[in-house]
Amino acid sequence: MDKKKIVFSGIQPTGNIHLGNYLGAVRNWVREQAEKVNYFCIVDLHSLTVPQDPDNLRFQTRSLAALYLACGIDPEVSTIFIQSHVTAHAEGCWLLNCITPLGWLQRMTQFKDKSAKQESVLTGLLDYPVLMAGDIIFYDADEVPVGEDQKQHVELARDIAQRFNALYETDFFVVPQPVISKVGARVMGLDDPTVKMSKSLSDKRGHAIRLLDEPDEIMYSFKRAVTDSGREIRFSDEPERAGVNNLLGIYQAITGKDKTAVEADFAGARGYGDLKVGVAELVIETLRPIQARYKELMDDAAELDRLLAHGAQQARAVSQPKVDEMKRIMGLVLPG
Ligand code: AMP
Ligand code: TRP
């Protein structure tokens, strides 16, 4: 049997995850978690590269971990942990800093965009991709699932890995590959079906379904979903029917039925109103067990801490020896 591929996913504990994230990404990770060796890392150190409210950051970090677990990330199968719990990340970042040319960081598109928008640019923001490179290469990750916006950072991780290997004439670091998620279920905004449902717009009422939204709020957002003036419920590529297509797409992604079967389910509907309520009810029922498990974990701090301590321990067992060996290669004296 081939060796399982190692996959490293980094998730910032900021912004609410929504139905698009769930149907397009998280649900697939859950289904496929046994096929690969997966690390799910809540990258709290990365979030510090822009100013954060401490209490809010603490809450968001635990909340996101609980939510991923509630979605079905199984801590016995995958490793889920908080980045700052594993000190090898920050420690190893320093070592990588010392082999990474400044120019490589200054030309990162995200740094240029973000720093242009801020009056005072923090050093951490510039260094962000080096920390990210460490996340990936300290686990010998083969694959890094990312959106298009993060591809340049994974390419930098490749450059850093290759530079280390060349400088020290070794094949110590695995050179990772970015994996741009194929658009499986692409969920569009309910208020505007021409744009992707997105985290940055998720606080705008009626745009996104956030995984922790109450049933009433979910129903509200679906009832207000933008459709067209027709009444026929069928899949379509026509731009003006994008709203109905999106609703049917969500229904299809959840039920796993083929298009004909989905259309048949709505054959008796009296119009788009029935479709909206039907999809809303299905989404509410899909999220109900996730929300219940989330609440259980958030109410049982000891259990959540236990699961995260277990994840951190597994992560440490892989990355700390890697960083120690890196120190040795670079000429540092290891403690006796
Ligand atoms: P992001 O929210 O951009 O950090 O994306 C996290 C993951 O969710 C990525 O794998 C995206 O491809 C996926 N994703 C984000 N938004 C959507 C969407 N509207 N529909 C489907 N997948 C999405
Ligand atoms: N920079 C990524 C983002 O903003 C998060 C991240 C940090 C990451 N470390 C990572 C993603 C390692 C993949 C692998 O989305």
Side-chain angles (χ1 to χ4, degrees), residues 59 62-73 75 80 289-308:
F59 175 77
R62 296 177 66 81
S63 166
L64 191 64
L67 195 50
Y68 276 95
L69 289 162
C71 284
I73 299 292
I80 175 165
I290 294 175
Q291 295 180 348
R293 178 67 184 137
Y294 168 83
K295 189 168 178 312
E296 252 172 48
L297 285 168
M298 291 302 276
D299 288 346
D300 186 350
E303 171 66 359
L304 182 58
D305 287 346
R306 190 187 66 76
L307 295 173
L308 291 171

PDB file of all heavy atoms in Angstrom, residues 59 62-73 75 80 289-308:
ATOM      1  N   PHE A  59     -11.923  33.511  22.615  1.00  0.00           N
ATOM      2  CA  PHE A  59     -13.215  32.881  22.362  1.00  0.00           C
ATOM      3  C   PHE A  59     -13.265  32.264  20.960  1.00  0.00           C
ATOM      4  O   PHE A  59     -13.654  31.108  20.789  1.00  0.00           O
ATOM      5  CB  PHE A  59     -14.369  33.883  22.541  1.00  0.00           C
ATOM      6  CG  PHE A  59     -15.696  33.291  22.158  1.00  0.00           C
ATOM      7  CD1 PHE A  59     -16.353  32.410  23.014  1.00  0.00           C
ATOM      8  CD2 PHE A  59     -16.256  33.541  20.904  1.00  0.00           C
ATOM      9  CE1 PHE A  59     -17.554  31.815  22.637  1.00  0.00           C
ATOM     10  CE2 PHE A  59     -17.456  32.946  20.527  1.00  0.00           C
ATOM     11  CZ  PHE A  59     -18.105  32.085  21.400  1.00  0.00           C
ATOM     12  N   ARG A  62     -11.273  28.911  20.592  1.00  0.00           N
ATOM     13  CA  ARG A  62     -11.944  27.731  21.165  1.00  0.00           C
ATOM     14  C   ARG A  62     -13.190  27.390  20.358  1.00  0.00           C
ATOM     15  O   ARG A  62     -13.494  26.219  20.115  1.00  0.00           O
ATOM     16  CB  ARG A  62     -12.332  27.987  22.622  1.00  0.00           C
ATOM     17  CG  ARG A  62     -11.132  28.199  23.533  1.00  0.00           C
ATOM     18  CD  ARG A  62     -11.589  28.520  24.950  1.00  0.00           C
ATOM     19  NE  ARG A  62     -12.270  27.384  25.566  1.00  0.00           N
ATOM     20  CZ  ARG A  62     -11.655  26.356  26.113  1.00  0.00           C
ATOM     21  NH1 ARG A  62     -10.347  26.331  26.154  1.00  0.00           N
ATOM     22  NH2 ARG A  62     -12.341  25.358  26.625  1.00  0.00           N
ATOM     23  N   SER A  63     -13.896  28.429  19.975  1.00  0.00           N
ATOM     24  CA  SER A  63     -15.145  28.227  19.253  1.00  0.00           C
ATOM     25  C   SER A  63     -14.890  27.523  17.915  1.00  0.00           C
ATOM     26  O   SER A  63     -15.603  26.592  17.530  1.00  0.00           O
ATOM     27  CB  SER A  63     -15.802  29.596  19.037  1.00  0.00           C
ATOM     28  OG  SER A  63     -16.820  29.510  18.096  1.00  0.00           O
ATOM     29  N   LEU A  64     -13.852  27.959  17.226  1.00  0.00           N
ATOM     30  CA  LEU A  64     -13.582  27.340  15.927  1.00  0.00           C
ATOM     31  C   LEU A  64     -13.154  25.878  16.094  1.00  0.00           C
ATOM     32  O   LEU A  64     -13.574  25.001  15.338  1.00  0.00           O
ATOM     33  CB  LEU A  64     -12.495  28.129  15.184  1.00  0.00           C
ATOM     34  CG  LEU A  64     -12.339  27.727  13.727  1.00  0.00           C
ATOM     35  CD1 LEU A  64     -13.603  28.035  12.933  1.00  0.00           C
ATOM     36  CD2 LEU A  64     -11.166  28.451  13.084  1.00  0.00           C
ATOM     37  N   ALA A  65     -12.344  25.631  17.113  1.00  0.00           N
ATOM     38  CA  ALA A  65     -11.931  24.242  17.367  1.00  0.00           C
ATOM     39  C   ALA A  65     -13.168  23.389  17.656  1.00  0.00           C
ATOM     40  O   ALA A  65     -13.332  22.294  17.101  1.00  0.00           O
ATOM     41  CB  ALA A  65     -10.961  24.195  18.547  1.00  0.00           C
ATOM     42  N   ALA A  66     -14.054  23.905  18.503  1.00  0.00           N
ATOM     43  CA  ALA A  66     -15.272  23.157  18.847  1.00  0.00           C
ATOM     44  C   ALA A  66     -16.132  22.920  17.607  1.00  0.00           C
ATOM     45  O   ALA A  66     -16.708  21.852  17.426  1.00  0.00           O
ATOM     46  CB  ALA A  66     -16.069  23.922  19.907  1.00  0.00           C
ATOM     47  N   LEU A  67     -16.177  23.913  16.752  1.00  0.00           N
ATOM     48  CA  LEU A  67     -17.011  23.788  15.558  1.00  0.00           C
ATOM     49  C   LEU A  67     -16.459  22.722  14.594  1.00  0.00           C
ATOM     50  O   LEU A  67     -17.213  21.928  14.039  1.00  0.00           O
ATOM     51  CB  LEU A  67     -17.119  25.157  14.877  1.00  0.00           C
ATOM     52  CG  LEU A  67     -18.206  25.320  13.828  1.00  0.00           C
ATOM     53  CD1 LEU A  67     -19.562  24.851  14.340  1.00  0.00           C
ATOM     54  CD2 LEU A  67     -18.288  26.779  13.387  1.00  0.00           C
ATOM     55  N   TYR A  68     -15.156  22.713  14.408  1.00  0.00           N
ATOM     56  CA  TYR A  68     -14.576  21.687  13.536  1.00  0.00           C
ATOM     57  C   TYR A  68     -14.813  20.284  14.099  1.00  0.00           C
ATOM     58  O   TYR A  68     -15.146  19.351  13.367  1.00  0.00           O
ATOM     59  CB  TYR A  68     -13.079  21.924  13.313  1.00  0.00           C
ATOM     60  CG  TYR A  68     -12.854  22.907  12.195  1.00  0.00           C
ATOM     61  CD1 TYR A  68     -12.659  24.258  12.437  1.00  0.00           C
ATOM     62  CD2 TYR A  68     -12.901  22.480  10.874  1.00  0.00           C
ATOM     63  CE1 TYR A  68     -12.502  25.163  11.399  1.00  0.00           C
ATOM     64  CE2 TYR A  68     -12.745  23.376   9.831  1.00  0.00           C
ATOM     65  CZ  TYR A  68     -12.542  24.709  10.105  1.00  0.00           C
ATOM     66  OH  TYR A  68     -12.401  25.589   9.075  1.00  0.00           O
ATOM     67  N   LEU A  69     -14.659  20.176  15.407  1.00  0.00           N
ATOM     68  CA  LEU A  69     -14.932  18.872  16.025  1.00  0.00           C
ATOM     69  C   LEU A  69     -16.404  18.515  15.846  1.00  0.00           C
ATOM     70  O   LEU A  69     -16.748  17.383  15.510  1.00  0.00           O
ATOM     71  CB  LEU A  69     -14.559  18.904  17.510  1.00  0.00           C
ATOM     72  CG  LEU A  69     -13.039  18.963  17.784  1.00  0.00           C
ATOM     73  CD1 LEU A  69     -12.757  19.431  19.209  1.00  0.00           C
ATOM     74  CD2 LEU A  69     -12.398  17.591  17.536  1.00  0.00           C
ATOM     75  N   ALA A  70     -17.267  19.500  16.034  1.00  0.00           N
ATOM     76  CA  ALA A  70     -18.711  19.256  15.901  1.00  0.00           C
ATOM     77  C   ALA A  70     -19.076  18.856  14.478  1.00  0.00           C
ATOM     78  O   ALA A  70     -20.005  18.084  14.251  1.00  0.00           O
ATOM     79  CB  ALA A  70     -19.493  20.506  16.324  1.00  0.00           C
ATOM     80  N   CYS A  71     -18.333  19.373  13.506  1.00  0.00           N
ATOM     81  CA  CYS A  71     -18.598  19.016  12.101  1.00  0.00           C
ATOM     82  C   CYS A  71     -18.144  17.596  11.788  1.00  0.00           C
ATOM     83  O   CYS A  71     -18.419  17.077  10.709  1.00  0.00           O
ATOM     84  CB  CYS A  71     -17.883  19.975  11.164  1.00  0.00           C
ATOM     85  SG  CYS A  71     -18.664  21.578  11.040  1.00  0.00           S
ATOM     86  N   GLY A  72     -17.386  16.983  12.686  1.00  0.00           N
ATOM     87  CA  GLY A  72     -17.028  15.589  12.455  1.00  0.00           C
ATOM     88  C   GLY A  72     -15.542  15.324  12.297  1.00  0.00           C
ATOM     89  O   GLY A  72     -15.139  14.202  11.981  1.00  0.00           O
ATOM     90  N   ILE A  73     -14.704  16.346  12.491  1.00  0.00           N
ATOM     91  CA  ILE A  73     -13.265  16.067  12.506  1.00  0.00           C
ATOM     92  C   ILE A  73     -13.043  15.173  13.730  1.00  0.00           C
ATOM     93  O   ILE A  73     -13.373  15.541  14.853  1.00  0.00           O
ATOM     94  CB  ILE A  73     -12.439  17.366  12.640  1.00  0.00           C
ATOM     95  CG1 ILE A  73     -12.691  18.324  11.474  1.00  0.00           C
ATOM     96  CG2 ILE A  73     -10.944  17.026  12.785  1.00  0.00           C
ATOM     97  CD1 ILE A  73     -12.195  17.885  10.129  1.00  0.00           C
ATOM     98  N   PRO A  75     -10.840  13.423  16.357  1.00  0.00           N
ATOM     99  CA  PRO A  75      -9.492  13.565  16.911  1.00  0.00           C
ATOM    100  C   PRO A  75      -8.741  12.244  17.057  1.00  0.00           C
ATOM    101  O   PRO A  75      -7.533  12.247  17.313  1.00  0.00           O
ATOM    102  CB  PRO A  75      -9.725  14.227  18.276  1.00  0.00           C
ATOM    103  CG  PRO A  75     -11.156  14.039  18.586  1.00  0.00           C
ATOM    104  CD  PRO A  75     -11.892  13.791  17.313  1.00  0.00           C
ATOM    105  N   ILE A  80      -6.084  17.623  15.377  1.00  0.00           N
ATOM    106  CA  ILE A  80      -6.605  18.990  15.397  1.00  0.00           C
ATOM    107  C   ILE A  80      -6.010  19.686  16.608  1.00  0.00           C
ATOM    108  O   ILE A  80      -6.054  19.155  17.717  1.00  0.00           O
ATOM    109  CB  ILE A  80      -8.155  19.028  15.362  1.00  0.00           C
ATOM    110  CG1 ILE A  80      -8.672  20.465  15.518  1.00  0.00           C
ATOM    111  CG2 ILE A  80      -8.809  18.106  16.361  1.00  0.00           C
ATOM    112  CD1 ILE A  80     -10.140  20.636  15.130  1.00  0.00           C
ATOM    113  N   PRO A 289     -27.605  18.822  14.497  1.00  0.00           N
ATOM    114  CA  PRO A 289     -26.680  18.001  15.310  1.00  0.00           C
ATOM    115  C   PRO A 289     -25.300  18.648  15.464  1.00  0.00           C
ATOM    116  O   PRO A 289     -24.641  18.457  16.495  1.00  0.00           O
ATOM    117  CB  PRO A 289     -26.568  16.690  14.523  1.00  0.00           C
ATOM    118  CG  PRO A 289     -27.112  16.964  13.168  1.00  0.00           C
ATOM    119  CD  PRO A 289     -28.056  18.117  13.284  1.00  0.00           C
ATOM    120  N   ILE A 290     -24.879  19.405  14.470  1.00  0.00           N
ATOM    121  CA  ILE A 290     -23.574  20.084  14.562  1.00  0.00           C
ATOM    122  C   ILE A 290     -23.644  21.142  15.661  1.00  0.00           C
ATOM    123  O   ILE A 290     -22.758  21.252  16.511  1.00  0.00           O
ATOM    124  CB  ILE A 290     -23.209  20.725  13.199  1.00  0.00           C
ATOM    125  CG1 ILE A 290     -22.987  19.638  12.156  1.00  0.00           C
ATOM    126  CG2 ILE A 290     -21.985  21.633  13.331  1.00  0.00           C
ATOM    127  CD1 ILE A 290     -22.748  20.133  10.743  1.00  0.00           C
ATOM    128  N   GLN A 291     -24.755  21.896  15.670  1.00  0.00           N
ATOM    129  CA  GLN A 291     -24.903  22.944  16.685  1.00  0.00           C
ATOM    130  C   GLN A 291     -25.026  22.352  18.087  1.00  0.00           C
ATOM    131  O   GLN A 291     -24.498  22.899  19.052  1.00  0.00           O
ATOM    132  CB  GLN A 291     -26.138  23.804  16.356  1.00  0.00           C
ATOM    133  CG  GLN A 291     -25.957  24.571  15.050  1.00  0.00           C
ATOM    134  CD  GLN A 291     -27.151  25.441  14.690  1.00  0.00           C
ATOM    135  OE1 GLN A 291     -28.215  25.320  15.296  1.00  0.00           O
ATOM    136  NE2 GLN A 291     -26.986  26.313  13.706  1.00  0.00           N
ATOM    137  N   ALA A 292     -25.695  21.192  18.165  1.00  0.00           N
ATOM    138  CA  ALA A 292     -25.867  20.558  19.481  1.00  0.00           C
ATOM    139  C   ALA A 292     -24.511  20.084  20.011  1.00  0.00           C
ATOM    140  O   ALA A 292     -24.171  20.299  21.176  1.00  0.00           O
ATOM    141  CB  ALA A 292     -26.845  19.387  19.371  1.00  0.00           C
ATOM    142  N   ARG A 293     -23.725  19.469  19.131  1.00  0.00           N
ATOM    143  CA  ARG A 293     -22.410  18.983  19.553  1.00  0.00           C
ATOM    144  C   ARG A 293     -21.492  20.161  19.904  1.00  0.00           C
ATOM    145  O   ARG A 293     -20.716  20.114  20.861  1.00  0.00           O
ATOM    146  CB  ARG A 293     -21.795  18.129  18.429  1.00  0.00           C
ATOM    147  CG  ARG A 293     -20.417  17.593  18.711  1.00  0.00           C
ATOM    148  CD  ARG A 293     -20.399  16.564  19.843  1.00  0.00           C
ATOM    149  NE  ARG A 293     -19.054  16.110  20.168  1.00  0.00           N
ATOM    150  CZ  ARG A 293     -18.583  15.945  21.411  1.00  0.00           C
ATOM    151  NH1 ARG A 293     -19.360  16.182  22.444  1.00  0.00           N
ATOM    152  NH2 ARG A 293     -17.356  15.538  21.608  1.00  0.00           N
ATOM    153  N   TYR A 294     -21.598  21.226  19.122  1.00  0.00           N
ATOM    154  CA  TYR A 294     -20.816  22.432  19.401  1.00  0.00           C
ATOM    155  C   TYR A 294     -21.125  22.948  20.800  1.00  0.00           C
ATOM    156  O   TYR A 294     -20.242  23.254  21.585  1.00  0.00           O
ATOM    157  CB  TYR A 294     -21.137  23.511  18.345  1.00  0.00           C
ATOM    158  CG  TYR A 294     -20.614  24.889  18.697  1.00  0.00           C
ATOM    159  CD1 TYR A 294     -19.287  25.231  18.423  1.00  0.00           C
ATOM    160  CD2 TYR A 294     -21.426  25.840  19.312  1.00  0.00           C
ATOM    161  CE1 TYR A 294     -18.791  26.486  18.755  1.00  0.00           C
ATOM    162  CE2 TYR A 294     -20.937  27.096  19.651  1.00  0.00           C
ATOM    163  CZ  TYR A 294     -19.621  27.412  19.363  1.00  0.00           C
ATOM    164  OH  TYR A 294     -19.134  28.652  19.706  1.00  0.00           O
ATOM    165  N   LYS A 295     -22.422  23.021  21.108  1.00  0.00           N
ATOM    166  CA  LYS A 295     -22.834  23.562  22.404  1.00  0.00           C
ATOM    167  C   LYS A 295     -22.312  22.683  23.542  1.00  0.00           C
ATOM    168  O   LYS A 295     -21.812  23.180  24.547  1.00  0.00           O
ATOM    169  CB  LYS A 295     -24.366  23.669  22.446  1.00  0.00           C
ATOM    170  CG  LYS A 295     -24.857  24.418  23.648  1.00  0.00           C
ATOM    171  CD  LYS A 295     -26.329  24.773  23.542  1.00  0.00           C
ATOM    172  CE  LYS A 295     -26.795  25.495  24.808  1.00  0.00           C
ATOM    173  NZ  LYS A 295     -26.393  24.838  26.052  1.00  0.00           N
ATOM    174  N   GLU A 296     -22.406  21.364  23.323  1.00  0.00           N
ATOM    175  CA  GLU A 296     -21.891  20.433  24.332  1.00  0.00           C
ATOM    176  C   GLU A 296     -20.413  20.690  24.632  1.00  0.00           C
ATOM    177  O   GLU A 296     -19.997  20.734  25.783  1.00  0.00           O
ATOM    178  CB  GLU A 296     -21.962  19.009  23.769  1.00  0.00           C
ATOM    179  CG  GLU A 296     -23.012  18.114  24.362  1.00  0.00           C
ATOM    180  CD  GLU A 296     -23.081  16.810  23.551  1.00  0.00           C
ATOM    181  OE1 GLU A 296     -22.033  16.181  23.265  1.00  0.00           O
ATOM    182  OE2 GLU A 296     -24.208  16.465  23.175  1.00  0.00           O
ATOM    183  N   LEU A 297     -19.649  20.857  23.546  1.00  0.00           N
ATOM    184  CA  LEU A 297     -18.202  21.072  23.730  1.00  0.00           C
ATOM    185  C   LEU A 297     -17.906  22.422  24.374  1.00  0.00           C
ATOM    186  O   LEU A 297     -17.013  22.539  25.202  1.00  0.00           O
ATOM    187  CB  LEU A 297     -17.482  20.981  22.384  1.00  0.00           C
ATOM    188  CG  LEU A 297     -17.313  19.578  21.816  1.00  0.00           C
ATOM    189  CD1 LEU A 297     -16.866  19.628  20.354  1.00  0.00           C
ATOM    190  CD2 LEU A 297     -16.277  18.795  22.628  1.00  0.00           C
ATOM    191  N   MET A 298     -18.669  23.440  23.995  1.00  0.00           N
ATOM    192  CA  MET A 298     -18.429  24.765  24.572  1.00  0.00           C
ATOM    193  C   MET A 298     -18.871  24.805  26.041  1.00  0.00           C
ATOM    194  O   MET A 298     -18.332  25.570  26.830  1.00  0.00           O
ATOM    195  CB  MET A 298     -19.138  25.861  23.760  1.00  0.00           C
ATOM    196  CG  MET A 298     -18.547  26.101  22.391  1.00  0.00           C
ATOM    197  SD  MET A 298     -16.788  26.572  22.393  1.00  0.00           S
ATOM    198  CE  MET A 298     -16.913  28.349  22.672  1.00  0.00           C
ATOM    199  N   ASP A 299     -19.849  23.967  26.381  1.00  0.00           N
ATOM    200  CA  ASP A 299     -20.310  23.921  27.774  1.00  0.00           C
ATOM    201  C   ASP A 299     -19.413  23.036  28.642  1.00  0.00           C
ATOM    202  O   ASP A 299     -19.522  23.033  29.856  1.00  0.00           O
ATOM    203  CB  ASP A 299     -21.748  23.373  27.862  1.00  0.00           C
ATOM    204  CG  ASP A 299     -22.750  24.378  27.331  1.00  0.00           C
ATOM    205  OD1 ASP A 299     -22.362  25.554  27.163  1.00  0.00           O
ATOM    206  OD2 ASP A 299     -23.911  23.989  27.069  1.00  0.00           O
ATOM    207  N   ASP A 300     -18.598  22.222  27.994  1.00  0.00           N
ATOM    208  CA  ASP A 300     -17.743  21.309  28.746  1.00  0.00           C
ATOM    209  C   ASP A 300     -16.284  21.659  28.436  1.00  0.00           C
ATOM    210  O   ASP A 300     -15.611  21.001  27.649  1.00  0.00           O
ATOM    211  CB  ASP A 300     -18.060  19.859  28.318  1.00  0.00           C
ATOM    212  CG  ASP A 300     -17.316  18.826  29.154  1.00  0.00           C
ATOM    213  OD1 ASP A 300     -16.419  19.217  29.932  1.00  0.00           O
ATOM    214  OD2 ASP A 300     -17.619  17.628  29.004  1.00  0.00           O
ATOM    215  N   ALA A 301     -15.837  22.747  29.073  1.00  0.00           N
ATOM    216  CA  ALA A 301     -14.503  23.279  28.768  1.00  0.00           C
ATOM    217  C   ALA A 301     -13.428  22.213  28.978  1.00  0.00           C
ATOM    218  O   ALA A 301     -12.462  22.131  28.217  1.00  0.00           O
ATOM    219  CB  ALA A 301     -14.221  24.497  29.633  1.00  0.00           C
ATOM    220  N   ALA A 302     -13.622  21.370  30.000  1.00  0.00           N
ATOM    221  CA  ALA A 302     -12.604  20.367  30.309  1.00  0.00           C
ATOM    222  C   ALA A 302     -12.458  19.370  29.153  1.00  0.00           C
ATOM    223  O   ALA A 302     -11.345  18.969  28.795  1.00  0.00           O
ATOM    224  CB  ALA A 302     -12.957  19.642  31.598  1.00  0.00           C
ATOM    225  N   GLU A 303     -13.585  18.982  28.576  1.00  0.00           N
ATOM    226  CA  GLU A 303     -13.538  18.019  27.474  1.00  0.00           C
ATOM    227  C   GLU A 303     -12.878  18.646  26.239  1.00  0.00           C
ATOM    228  O   GLU A 303     -12.030  18.028  25.589  1.00  0.00           O
ATOM    229  CB  GLU A 303     -14.965  17.533  27.150  1.00  0.00           C
ATOM    230  CG  GLU A 303     -15.115  16.682  25.897  1.00  0.00           C
ATOM    231  CD  GLU A 303     -14.417  15.322  25.970  1.00  0.00           C
ATOM    232  OE1 GLU A 303     -13.776  15.007  27.001  1.00  0.00           O
ATOM    233  OE2 GLU A 303     -14.494  14.573  24.970  1.00  0.00           O
ATOM    234  N   LEU A 304     -13.246  19.878  25.940  1.00  0.00           N
ATOM    235  CA  LEU A 304     -12.635  20.552  24.790  1.00  0.00           C
ATOM    236  C   LEU A 304     -11.126  20.692  25.018  1.00  0.00           C
ATOM    237  O   LEU A 304     -10.316  20.412  24.128  1.00  0.00           O
ATOM    238  CB  LEU A 304     -13.295  21.924  24.563  1.00  0.00           C
ATOM    239  CG  LEU A 304     -12.790  22.721  23.362  1.00  0.00           C
ATOM    240  CD1 LEU A 304     -12.959  21.944  22.057  1.00  0.00           C
ATOM    241  CD2 LEU A 304     -13.511  24.066  23.250  1.00  0.00           C
ATOM    242  N   ASP A 305     -10.750  21.090  26.219  1.00  0.00           N
ATOM    243  CA  ASP A 305      -9.322  21.226  26.539  1.00  0.00           C
ATOM    244  C   ASP A 305      -8.603  19.887  26.394  1.00  0.00           C
ATOM    245  O   ASP A 305      -7.478  19.820  25.911  1.00  0.00           O
ATOM    246  CB  ASP A 305      -9.129  21.723  27.979  1.00  0.00           C
ATOM    247  CG  ASP A 305      -9.495  23.191  28.116  1.00  0.00           C
ATOM    248  OD1 ASP A 305      -9.630  23.869  27.073  1.00  0.00           O
ATOM    249  OD2 ASP A 305      -9.676  23.652  29.259  1.00  0.00           O
ATOM    250  N   ARG A 306      -9.280  18.829  26.815  1.00  0.00           N
ATOM    251  CA  ARG A 306      -8.677  17.500  26.735  1.00  0.00           C
ATOM    252  C   ARG A 306      -8.419  17.120  25.272  1.00  0.00           C
ATOM    253  O   ARG A 306      -7.336  16.654  24.919  1.00  0.00           O
ATOM    254  CB  ARG A 306      -9.599  16.470  27.393  1.00  0.00           C
ATOM    255  CG  ARG A 306      -8.969  15.090  27.592  1.00  0.00           C
ATOM    256  CD  ARG A 306      -9.974  14.055  28.092  1.00  0.00           C
ATOM    257  NE  ARG A 306     -11.019  13.748  27.115  1.00  0.00           N
ATOM    258  CZ  ARG A 306     -10.849  12.988  26.034  1.00  0.00           C
ATOM    259  NH1 ARG A 306      -9.669  12.447  25.772  1.00  0.00           N
ATOM    260  NH2 ARG A 306     -11.854  12.776  25.196  1.00  0.00           N
ATOM    261  N   LEU A 307      -9.413  17.355  24.426  1.00  0.00           N
ATOM    262  CA  LEU A 307      -9.253  17.011  23.010  1.00  0.00           C
ATOM    263  C   LEU A 307      -8.138  17.837  22.371  1.00  0.00           C
ATOM    264  O   LEU A 307      -7.338  17.329  21.584  1.00  0.00           O
ATOM    265  CB  LEU A 307     -10.568  17.222  22.253  1.00  0.00           C
ATOM    266  CG  LEU A 307     -11.713  16.299  22.678  1.00  0.00           C
ATOM    267  CD1 LEU A 307     -13.017  16.698  22.000  1.00  0.00           C
ATOM    268  CD2 LEU A 307     -11.374  14.845  22.343  1.00  0.00           C
ATOM    269  N   LEU A 308      -8.074  19.114  22.756  1.00  0.00           N
ATOM    270  CA  LEU A 308      -7.048  19.980  22.160  1.00  0.00           C
ATOM    271  C   LEU A 308      -5.658  19.659  22.707  1.00  0.00           C
ATOM    272  O   LEU A 308      -4.661  19.781  21.997  1.00  0.00           O
ATOM    273  CB  LEU A 308      -7.403  21.453  22.380  1.00  0.00           C
ATOM    274  CG  LEU A 308      -8.628  21.910  21.573  1.00  0.00           C
ATOM    275  CD1 LEU A 308      -9.067  23.299  21.985  1.00  0.00           C
ATOM    276  CD2 LEU A 308      -8.325  21.869  20.065  1.00  0.00           C
TER     277      LEU A 308
END
